[in-house]
Amino acid sequence: MSNYLILYSMRTKAIIHVDRFLGNLNAIRTRIGNERQICVSLKANAYGHGALEIAKRSQEAGANCFGVATVSEGIEIRKGGIKAPVLLLSQGHPAEIPRIIEADLIPFVSDIDFADELNKEASDKKTKLQVHIKIDTGMGRIGCLAEDAAALATHISKCSNLTLKGTATHLASSDSIDRQDIDYTKLQLTRFKKAVAAIKAAGIDPGILHAANSGGIVLHPDSWLDMVRPGILLYGFKAAQEYELPIAHMKKLVKCKALMVEPVMELVSTVALIKKIKKGESVSYGRTWTAPMNTNIAILPAGYADGLPRLASNRWQVIIKGDPYPLIGRICMDQCCIDIGPEPKVERWDEAVIFGSDIIPEDENFPIIMQSAAALAESVRTIPYEILCNVNRRVPRVYK
Ligand SMILES: *Cc1c(COP(=O)(O)O)cnc(C)c1O
């Protein structure tokens, strides 16, 4: 690490536990078997974990391809030397097509017009472009209607500069153990199979078939097909556990061990200043917290611009030397405060974990401290995805 980075990371840093990431990838590989491919989701800077670094580590560990949301995300990893196929998971704009071709991205195609635009530009550049058809089987977002899939495939097959390499859909409620949600996933998969059969009946090879996001990987073996597209699971979060499923649905999963994943990112700050606060004095903007007694507070150089949600003000804690300390007063853009009590064990420059893994105390009489990004998400009524994505680029990522 350069001197500059060492100094910089004294403030607030995101420690990325690469060993855990690789463990999560391996757990998915074990679950789905060697015959299937894995497309690692690298959207939003790899859910905040650093797209290029995650791409490199995944490639070494045998991931087959990558998924990005924007053309510039694709270009970033190409510039970093990633050679594996890269799927562009969102709808591109026609003006981006030259860059899609230049960066050798594989766009999802949902309609004939976009197929024509891609074909024209590929023809002008005298190249062949690989595409995947995206079918909307019930997500209601991008993708062609299931009944239009065969016509779209036929059209693409007539575009001399396009090659159909795959056919995909996206699941809307695959991470839920609610019976209606399970049935909805089954309905989506049935629609997908029917559309794929129609493509085949038109004499066209649909290429590799893929549907499973993290929820599909954990709860729906029927969705694994030729390739899976995990995101949040790789970064260590699972919305539902297999054992929570209704019995009837569990039978297909009995051969599988529960898929164990560990949170990859730990957001860590440093105690920058400790000071005494007298009973009755207030802390931070809006004076939402007043000291109930003479106490000490510690100031951390981490705020909502670093990824600590402002809504967590007065409802979250940080861990210092194994003990929890409550966040008090409003979280500011770049700073926050904790109450460390009248006789603090905390010392200046101690490390403070904002989120990471849940902590199971050695003494079983003490409760587990929920300190994961998922627990933080719950306390501010969002999902771990949003917490991870919101860790700002200014926070250095330190790979361990
Ligand atoms: C983001 C995304 C995924 C991964 O979703 P997770 O819920 O994080 O596993 C898979 N497929 C598509 C099309 C996506 O956009």
Side-chain angles (χ1 to χ4, degrees), residues 331-385:
I331 292 164
C332 310
M333 186 186 288
D334 318 299
Q335 303 182 43
C336 63
C337 302
I338 54 174
D339 182 4
I340 55 173
E343 280 164 50
K345 282 196 276 176
V346 173
E347 292 169 289
R348 194 177 194 184
W349 314 123
D350 275 350
E351 265 199 2
V353 178
I354 296 171
F355 65 74
S357 297
D358 294 329
I359 300 166
I360 302 162
E362 276 162 37
D363 186 336
E364 60 194 39
N365 294 318
F366 288 97
I368 296 175
I369 304 169
M370 304 301 277
Q371 198 67 23
S372 69
L376 174 56
E378 204 172 294
S379 80
V380 298
R381 296 219 203 162
T382 183
I383 50 177
Y385 298 71

Side-chain angles (χ1 to χ4, degrees), residues 288-364:
T288 60
W289 187 87
T290 305
M293 57 177 156
N294 291 342
T295 185
N296 291 275
I297 63 166
I299 291 100
L300 308 178
Y304 57 80
D306 298 290
L308 175 59
R310 185 171 174 275
L311 283 173
S313 301
N314 296 310
R315 52 194 313 173
W316 189 243
Q317 68 286 329
V318 303
I319 306 294
I320 300 173
K321 292 189 278 216
D323 293 321
Y325 296 93
L327 281 168
I328 50 151
R330 285 208 181 126
I331 292 164
C332 310
M333 186 186 288
D334 318 299
Q335 303 182 43
C336 63
C337 302
I338 54 174
D339 182 4
I340 55 173
E343 280 164 50
K345 282 196 276 176
V346 173
E347 292 169 289
R348 194 177 194 184
W349 314 123
D350 275 350
E351 265 199 2
V353 178
I354 296 171
F355 65 74
S357 297
D358 294 329
I359 300 166
I360 302 162
E362 276 162 37
D363 186 336
E364 60 194 39

Side-chain angles (χ1 to χ4, degrees), residues 26 28-38 62 64 226:
N26 201 38
I28 294 171
R29 167 63 68 215
T30 307
R31 161 67 64 101
I32 63 165
N34 281 322
E35 68 282 10
R36 294 188 171 92
Q37 298 189 30
I38 299 178
N64 308 87
D226 299 326

Side-chain angles (χ1 to χ4, degrees), residues 211-227:
N213 48 9
S214 295
I217 293 166
V218 177
L219 301 179
H220 295 276
D222 294 350
S223 70
W224 298 346
L225 308 173
D226 299 326
M227 182 168 81

Side-chain angles (χ1 to χ4, degrees), residues 2 15 26 34 53 111 119 142 151-152 182 233-234 321 374:
S2 72
I15 299 171
N26 201 38
N34 281 322
E53 202 64 32
D111 68 300
N119 189 49
I142 63 165
L152 179 58
I182 291 169
L233 198 55
L234 284 167
K321 292 189 278 216

Side-chain angles (χ1 to χ4, degrees), residues 41 43 47 89 108 134 141 170 213-214 229-232 385:
S41 183
K43 307 180 295 199
Y47 295 41
L89 303 172
F108 271 169
K134 179 74 184 292
R141 211 169 58 177
H170 194 49
N213 48 9
S214 295
R229 305 187 306 261
I232 198 72
Y385 298 71

